[in-house]
Amino acid sequence: MRNRMVRINDEIMKELSEILRSGIKDPRMTAMASVVRVETTQDLKFAKAYISIMGDDEAKEKTMAAIENAKGHIRSTVAKAIDLRQTPEFTFVLDESLDHGDRINQILDDVNKEQE
């Protein structure tokens, strides 16, 4: 069962990535967005997609708004592309882990410069 869920999450992640790259025709999609991870419930009713967005806070906000606005389109596109008993309802979460890692690297660089 575990392997099946991993395969489903991977398939959904690939499809969502393609949709974000070329399937949303919204002028608010200004920043580059990518799907970092997808977690689907066992019953396939819900899926949480973690989205990483390159850009400033305003670009992230606008891009997330465009993705939220396109939820219905995204779900129907995933349903057509992936043969599942039930297409999950998506929740999109802004993934800030890359920004967090950059901040940690900057702090470490600053500490190293002070020690030299």
Side-chain angles (χ1 to χ4, degrees):
M1 188 63 140
R2 168 102 175 102
N3 287 337
R4 178 177 175 266
M5 291 310 298
V6 169
R7 282 194 322 269
I8 289 171
N9 287 337
D10 286 346
E11 282 297 313
I12 291 173
M13 190 168 91
K14 282 184 222 169
E15 192 59 37
L16 287 176
S17 294
E18 181 60 32
I19 293 168
L20 292 183
R21 195 170 22 264
S22 61
I24 299 177
K25 307 296 183 209
D26 189 315
R28 293 175 292 182
M29 286 289 290
T30 56
M32 190 176 102
S34 60
V35 182
V36 178
R37 185 171 86 239
V38 173
E39 296 173 351
T40 309
T41 58
Q42 290 289 330
D43 60 5
L44 301 176
K45 287 186 178 183
F46 302 98
K48 190 179 287 188
Y50 295 87
I51 311 294
S52 177
I53 301 172
M54 303 299 282
D56 60 12
D57 288 341
E58 183 182 353
K60 290 177 183 182
E61 202 173 290
K62 287 181 178 181
T63 301
M64 284 302 288
I67 292 169
E68 284 292 325
N69 192 53
K71 261 185 178 178
H73 167 71
I74 292 169
R75 188 174 185 201
S76 66
T77 304
V78 168
K80 291 173 189 167
I82 303 173
D83 185 28
L84 295 172
R85 281 178 287 143
Q86 182 170 343
T87 304
E89 184 178 317
F90 292 102
T91 301
F92 297 101
V93 178
L94 181 61
D95 184 77
E96 303 261 7
S97 61
L98 292 176
D99 291 337
H100 185 68
D102 287 343
R103 280 193 294 274
I104 290 173
N105 283 335
Q106 184 62 47
I107 291 169
L108 291 174
D109 287 345
D110 292 345
V111 168
N112 286 335
K113 287 177 186 174
E114 288 175 10
Q115 289 180 349
E116 292 175 355

